[in-house]
Amino acid sequence: MENLLKEYDILVGEAHKTVFSNENDIYQDGTLPMYRDKDGTLWAMSGHTHAGHIGMFKGTCFDDLREVYPIHTNFKTGRAGEAFNGVKYPEGIKSRGSIWPMGLYICPNTHRFFVFFHNETGWNGQDSGYVVQGKGDGEPDFRHIGLMYSDDEGRNWNFSRWVLTAEQVCFSKYYNPDGVNVIGQSDDRCVTLGSGDFTLFVNEKDGFMYLLYNIITIDPQSGAGERCDLYMARSRIREDGVVGDFVKYYNGSFCEAGNLGKESPVVEYAWHARIVYFDSLKAYVMTSTNVKRGLNPITEFVADYAEFRTGTDLLHWSEPVNIPYEGENGYFGNHYISLVSDSKQLSVNELSGNGSALLCHNATDLMKYPLTFCKKSPEERARA
């Protein structure tokens, strides 16, 4: 499939610092969750629970977003058995660790806020954290996606449930954290680290919300990352104040359960993908970060430069294009990238004309880069 962005030169403007910065006690780690409510207010949430704080932001467009208050969770995070109201992961393991908000949706009729969050077993477990080889903190650990909701515009949050779990269970044969009567992953050559590292795409065009999530595969002996692919699950958009269950894409259709169901990759070797509908192209644009092929240290196997794909549906994507740029990799990007409109009216999932790219790394300042899309002449396209 031809990449429609090949018809454009994409010019990168000067970087601008945003309010999502460490000096404001915000340590953004992932793409920024945003949503425009039915009244036209743009909302965003930034931060995570084991560095700085999580804040709610509001404005009319990205450039005038300002923090209105820090959030409060009516449930604990951290130690297994106490965190998330004691609700276990679907595999039967006690849930633990932090929350990383990565997807925001606001019901148009009830004004209930929903946030989908990333969770890992090796971060902020308060002496109950575990990784592939045993008890401890850090990487490589296991991921899930959870859901929480707020009825006061994001001030206070209640835990709802775990909405997405990989087919493979969240521990290996090397360590069963709770001694449950479940068989851990037993392959000596590869272990998958669960469903997470995601974005949310609320698609008004087809009536579904999509979780675009990653599964990382590692070598359990060395701990090195081997691959990282993009998967999808979807749930029908509801407008009555609840969120339904998610169904995973598998073997050509959305047909498997969100928790513990089978899954097929939609795009291989793509980290933290995000989708917008680009009106100028009459197509979807996916931004993601390049993943290195082969075994690489788990902290280095994401190459930290952006890839841009186009598609006329959400399942079939072109080969990627990159933007040449001065820097370490020779291409534009960072660990996390998303496209955002400067509009005061458009949905956060829509781009018309020029826009901006939001870039950050793990818990770094979020930087904004204006992007200009210049259509090539027929002569320029022929030379390319």
Side-chain angles (χ1 to χ4, degrees), residues 312-332:
T312 54
D313 60 34
L314 298 177
L315 297 175
H316 304 91
W317 295 94
S318 69
E319 289 301 306
V321 297
N322 314 111
I323 303 175
Y325 193 75
E326 294 182 2
E328 180 180 347
N329 296 307
Y331 294 110
F332 178 70

Side-chain angles (χ1 to χ4, degrees), residues 3-77:
N3 192 314
L4 301 178
L5 287 174
K6 287 185 177 180
E7 297 185 2
Y8 291 80
D9 285 321
I10 306 175
L11 307 180
V12 180
E14 182 180 352
H16 297 277
K17 195 171 182 177
T18 71
V19 294
F20 307 100
S21 65
N22 293 177
E23 67 184 38
N24 291 333
D25 197 42
I26 295 292
Y27 293 81
Q28 179 59 28
D29 196 358
T31 59
L32 186 71
M34 296 180 289
Y35 198 79
R36 191 179 297 280
D37 68 20
K38 70 173 183 179
D39 300 318
T41 301
L42 181 64
W43 295 87
M45 179 185 278
S46 186
H48 56 286
T49 48
H50 65 271
H53 72 282
I54 301 174
M56 287 300 303
F57 296 74
K58 66 185 291 188
T60 64
C61 63
F62 180 84
D63 284 339
D64 65 17
L65 285 172
R66 296 293 181 270
E67 184 171 358
V68 285
Y69 29 76
I71 77 157
H72 171 77
T73 58
N74 296 325
F75 58 92
K76 293 181 179 179
T77 59

Side-chain angles (χ1 to χ4, degrees), residues 22-286:
N22 293 177
E23 67 184 38
N24 291 333
D25 197 42
I26 295 292
Y27 293 81
Q28 179 59 28
D29 196 358
T31 59
L32 186 71
M34 296 180 289
Y35 198 79
R36 191 179 297 280
D37 68 20
K38 70 173 183 179
D39 300 318
T41 301
L42 181 64
W43 295 87
M45 179 185 278
S46 186
H48 56 286
T49 48
H50 65 271
H53 72 282
I54 301 174
M56 287 300 303
F57 296 74
K58 66 185 291 188
T60 64
C61 63
F62 180 84
D63 284 339
D64 65 17
L65 285 172
R66 296 293 181 270
E67 184 171 358
V68 285
Y69 29 76
I71 77 157
H72 171 77
T73 58
N74 296 325
F75 58 92
K76 293 181 179 179
T77 59
R79 185 173 289 108
E82 300 176 359
F84 305 105
N85 298 332
V87 177
K88 296 179 180 180
Y89 298 130
E91 299 96 323
I93 299 294
K94 294 176 183 176
S95 57
R96 63 203 76 196
S98 285
I99 62 172
W100 287 261
M102 292 185 177
L104 174 63
Y105 171 69
I106 302 171
C107 179
N109 292 322
T110 67
H111 207 58
R112 174 172 280 185
F113 285 35
F114 293 94
V115 159
F116 298 88
F117 63 84
H118 171 85
N119 166 261
E120 298 186 27
T121 63
W123 292 92
N124 190 34
Q126 299 176 7
D127 298 325
S128 68
Y130 69 94
V131 296
V132 169
Q133 291 286 351
K135 186 175 181 179
D137 298 328
E139 309 277 356
D141 61 347
F142 297 89
R143 283 95 162 127
H144 294 83
I145 298 175
L147 177 65
M148 60 184 186
Y149 66 91
S150 168
D151 288 322
D152 56 6
E153 296 188 327
R155 292 175 178 85
N156 297 282
W157 292 86
N158 299 303
F159 176 70
S160 175
R161 65 190 192 273
W162 299 106
V163 297
L164 209 66
T165 305
E167 178 190 7
Q168 301 295 329
V169 300
C170 62
F171 64 96
S172 72
K173 68 177 184 180
Y174 304 103
Y175 182 67
N176 184 328
D178 294 339
V180 297
N181 188 23
V182 174
I183 299 172
Q185 296 185 52
S186 59
D187 195 322
D188 289 322
R189 296 169 298 173
C190 70
V191 168
T192 60
L193 302 184
S195 302
D197 303 292
F198 69 96
T199 63
L200 175 70
F201 178 59
V202 180
N203 191 15
E204 293 86 357
K205 296 184 182 302
D206 68 2
F208 287 92
M209 58 175 68
Y210 294 81
L211 292 173
L212 318 175
Y213 64 99
N214 282 131
I215 295 180
I216 300 169
T217 301
I218 66 150
D219 177 345
Q221 304 304 318
S222 67
E226 181 176 7
R227 64 182 303 142
C228 176
D229 300 322
L230 167 67
Y231 299 79
M232 284 189 186
R234 74 181 187 183
S235 180
R236 180 170 51 85
I237 298 172
R238 299 178 62 109
E239 299 182 350
D240 57 356
V242 297
V243 169
D245 288 340
F246 279 78
V247 179
K248 292 177 179 177
Y249 177 77
Y250 172 69
N251 198 26
S253 65
F254 288 93
C255 60
E256 283 281 325
N259 284 316
L260 299 172
K262 294 182 178 182
E263 49 231 325
S264 298
V266 176
V267 177
E268 296 182 339
Y269 296 98
W271 166 253
H272 222 278
R274 188 172 183 273
I275 293 173
V276 296
Y277 183 79
F278 194 2
D279 187 63
S280 300
L281 296 178
K282 304 301 180 190
Y284 299 99
V285 173
M286 175 190 291

